[in-house]
């Protein structure tokens, strides 16, 4: 029983963080509940679709019920600068950011952590479905980020940009539980959030469609939708050579497989118009509003400079499927610093490029310019700006922003 350690819990007004606070109190920690207000620009959202006031009230009621101190902290200026502005800049450049991963790295385990430390907290805790482990390497404690026990809710991918310092201060008290068990505990403790529905996505967007949100700064601009044929000669270079181990690929082959494709209008034919290439992302199917194509139409490339969208017909179009991706040197992040690859070395792990995606075997090849990630199975819809994360079993080892 630990009676001295102080923990600040990010109380969001949801069931997961509520149970997090309850469990920590039961374990003997001194618990403080803190609600983060991350967004309040009424001009870009519909206020009743972003119930932060209701969430704040629920968080306060939970703190009252558990007899723990409670305070709210307004982080909206930092959130605007570090998350929202970044999102707009990335979409404007034709890339696909992941605000959830950034929010954890930049807000919850940076700005919020610093606010907690001003309250002399030893740890911050969140209601994430993941687990923290420890081991000793060369006499030093190394922190491990492990998948949550509930495979359907595992959120380790969203925390794949955390570092050792952040992990050393983080607690994830519900990571070993199933969601059903968390709800059961909340009901038994008569917490107001016990039956509350899980929030979907980022509150500030609410139920507003992402293009509508982006239109606040990125204005609509008519452009061409081009369909690209399957037999484009450059697709032949993107295939993985048969019978050759990825470690033996030459530089030209690695670049051909891992670097993003760039299209131009005369490679295909126009089949429609769109309202702005920056509203679309690779792999997207909805929102194109082009009918009569037979097979479903997918975005396989965007060009925000000339304002064209490039599409392919069907889920097996070679422009939609890729065996590799590249992470520039400055964007490679190791959670496990002790497992960092040096240029000229390789490793095999499992990887994913989106939340809740099944892990797929990958080969990592580190070069002077960055990391080449080669998948055993072709991946659908690899988009620049997304994050790739690699795992050893249930442990997240590192991650990077896709070029």
């Amino acid at each position: 029983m630990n009676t001295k350690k102080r923990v600040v819990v990010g109380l969001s007004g949801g069931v997961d963080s509520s149970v997090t606070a309850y469990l920590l109190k039961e374990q003997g920690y001194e618990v403080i509940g803190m609600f983060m207000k991350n967004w309040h620009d009424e001009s870009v959202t519909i206020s009743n679709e972003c119930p932060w006031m209701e969430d704040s009230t629920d968080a306060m009621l939970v703190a009252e019920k558990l007899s723990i101190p409670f305070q709210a902290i307004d982080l909206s200026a930092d959130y605007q600068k570090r998350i929202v502005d970044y999102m707009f800049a990335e979409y404007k450049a034709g890339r696909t950011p992941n605000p959830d991963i950034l929010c954890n790295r930049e807000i919850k385990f940076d700005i919020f952590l610093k606010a907690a430390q001003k309250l002399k907290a030893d740890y911050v805790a969140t209601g994430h479905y993941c687990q923290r482990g420890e081991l000793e390497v060369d006499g030093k404690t190394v922190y491990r980020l492990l998948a949550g026990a509930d495979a359907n809710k595992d959120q380790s991918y969203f925390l794949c940009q955390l570092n050792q310092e952040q992990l050393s201060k983080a607690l994830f008290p519900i990571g070993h539980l199933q969601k059903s068990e968390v709800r059961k505990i909340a009901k038994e403790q008569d917490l107001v959030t016990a039956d509350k529905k899980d929030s979907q996505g980022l509150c500030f967007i609410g139920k507003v469609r992402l293009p509508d949100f982006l239109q606040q700064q990125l204005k609509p601009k008519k452009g061409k939708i081009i369909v690209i044929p399957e037999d484009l000669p450059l697709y032949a270079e993107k295939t993985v050579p048969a019978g050759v181990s990825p470690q033996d690929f030459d530089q030209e082959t690695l670049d051909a497989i891992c670097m993003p494709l760039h299209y131009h209008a005369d490679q295909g034919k126009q089949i429609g118009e769109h309202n702005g290439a920056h509203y679309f992302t690779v792999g997207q199917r909805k929102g194109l509003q082009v009918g009569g194509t037979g097979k479903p139409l997918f975005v396989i490339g965007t060009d925000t400079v000339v304002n064209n969208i490039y599409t392919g017909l069907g889920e097996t179009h070679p422009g939609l499927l890729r065996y590799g991706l590249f992470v520039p040197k400055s964007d490679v992040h190791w959670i496990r610093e002790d497992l960092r690859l040096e240029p000229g070395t390789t490793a095999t792990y499992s990887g994913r490029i989106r939340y809740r995606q099944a892990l797929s075997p990958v080969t990592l090849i580190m070069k002077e310019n960055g990391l080449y990630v080669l998948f055993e199975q072709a991946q659908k819809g690899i988009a620049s700006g997304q994050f790739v994360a690699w795992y050893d079993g249930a442990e997240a080892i590192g991650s990077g922003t896709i070029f």
Side-chain angles (χ1 to χ4, degrees):
M1 187 71 72
N2 194 330
T3 52
K4 291 182 184 170
K5 298 285 186 185
R6 179 178 287 181
V7 188
V8 172
V9 176
L11 276 183
S12 66
V15 67
D16 298 329
S17 62
S18 304
V19 172
T20 291
Y22 165 74
L23 290 174
L24 288 168
K25 195 180 176 204
E26 286 296 290
Q27 289 162 22
Y29 288 96
E30 182 193 343
V31 181
I32 297 169
M34 194 183 272
F35 177 81
M36 284 175 269
K37 185 180 177 189
N38 289 336
W39 186 255
H40 61 198
D41 185 342
E42 300 299 330
S43 69
V44 296
T45 188
I46 303 164
S47 55
N48 65 359
E49 297 288 15
C50 183
W52 71 265
M53 288 179 78
E54 182 195 319
D55 289 338
S56 175
T57 303
D58 286 346
M60 188 172 65
L61 290 171
V62 166
E64 246 172 56
K65 179 81 179 170
L66 297 176
S67 302
I68 60 172
F70 174 80
Q71 57 178 277
I73 183 170
D74 188 344
L75 301 180
S76 50
D78 291 301
Y79 198 85
Q80 168 80 44
K81 193 165 67 187
R82 295 202 191 191
I83 310 298
V84 181
D85 290 352
Y86 175 86
M87 270 180 76
F88 280 125
E90 285 286 272
Y91 275 107
K92 189 176 182 181
R95 291 160 59 83
T96 307
N98 188 314
D100 295 294
I101 290 176
L102 284 170
C103 186
N104 286 317
R105 184 184 80 189
E106 301 286 332
I107 304 296
K108 290 178 186 166
F109 294 94
D110 187 10
I111 306 287
F112 180 70
L113 173 59
K114 284 169 183 158
Q117 287 172 327
K118 281 182 186 164
L119 298 174
K120 300 196 164 35
D122 299 287
Y123 300 105
V124 292
T126 61
H128 282 105
Y129 285 85
C130 63
Q131 302 177 80
R132 188 187 78 158
E134 292 179 23
L135 51 81
E136 206 172 282
V137 178
D138 299 330
K140 207 172 119 194
T141 302
V142 170
Y143 295 94
R144 306 169 75 207
L145 176 63
L146 303 162
D150 187 334
N152 287 321
K153 298 297 291 183
D154 168 40
Q155 291 174 307
S156 57
Y157 174 74
F158 288 141
L159 299 164
C160 69
Q161 284 276 296
L162 297 194
N163 59 34
Q164 284 291 306
E165 176 63 21
Q166 290 167 315
L167 274 177
S168 74
K169 306 286 185 211
L171 296 177
F172 308 112
I174 63 167
H176 65 292
L177 298 172
Q178 302 292 309
K179 180 75 181 199
S180 54
E181 294 175 295
V182 170
R183 288 222 183 263
K184 185 168 177 274
I185 292 168
K187 278 202 173 84
E188 285 167 356
Q189 298 309 312
D190 195 26
L191 299 178
V192 68
T193 53
D195 294 314
K196 193 170 176 180
K197 277 204 322 218
D198 290 347
S199 62
Q200 294 298 316
L202 285 169
C203 171
F204 74 83
I205 294 177
K207 290 177 187 168
V208 180
R209 286 173 61 247
L210 186 59
D212 295 340
F213 177 75
L214 293 174
Q215 276 178 29
Q216 311 299 327
Q217 283 190 31
L218 307 177
K219 295 303 169 199
K221 192 166 76 169
K222 288 274 182 215
K224 297 173 184 175
I225 299 176
I226 312 281
V227 65
I228 300 289
E230 289 187 29
D231 57 358
L232 214 59
L234 63 83
Y235 289 140
E237 301 166 13
K238 303 295 280 185
T239 54
V240 175
V244 184
S245 167
Q247 288 94 330
D248 297 328
F249 292 170
D250 59 30
Q251 189 64 48
E252 198 178 333
T253 305
L254 276 178
D255 286 338
I257 294 169
C258 297
M259 293 297 178
L261 282 168
H262 297 288
Y263 299 98
H264 44 89
D266 58 10
Q267 288 172 313
K269 63 175 185 182
Q270 184 177 351
I271 54 162
E273 275 192 332
H274 60 81
N275 286 321
H278 41 252
Y279 301 143
F280 293 84
T281 182
V282 172
Q284 186 172 334
R285 180 179 167 183
K286 291 179 179 166
L288 288 165
Q289 296 172 325
V290 176
T293 56
K295 290 180 182 176
L297 204 60
F298 291 90
V299 176
I300 60 171
T302 63
D303 186 332
T304 55
V305 178
V306 298
N307 198 32
N308 283 343
I309 291 174
Y310 301 99
T311 60
L313 286 168
E315 296 194 38
T316 57
H317 190 284
L320 192 62
L321 302 169
R322 280 173 56 194
Y323 280 95
L325 57 87
F326 176 68
V327 179
K329 186 179 178 179
S330 59
D331 291 328
V332 180
H333 172 73
W334 295 94
I335 301 167
R336 288 287 302 274
E337 287 281 354
D338 57 309
L339 298 176
R340 173 187 291 276
L341 290 180
E342 295 304 324
T345 61
T346 69
T348 52
Y349 287 113
S350 299
R352 59 166 58 110
I353 55 166
R354 53 182 68 92
Y355 172 53
R356 291 176 88 164
Q357 181 189 36
L359 288 166
S360 175
V362 292
T363 300
L364 305 187
I365 300 174
M366 195 71 199
K367 299 280 188 179
E368 289 290 348
N369 61 331
L371 184 70
Y372 292 82
V373 180
L374 292 142
F375 287 86
E376 205 171 89
Q377 288 110 28
Q379 300 294 300
K380 193 160 96 179
I382 293 177
S384 296
Q386 288 177 324
F387 287 88
V388 57
W390 48 94
Y391 290 72
D392 181 5
E395 182 180 3
I397 303 297
S399 64
T401 314
I402 300 169
F403 179 70

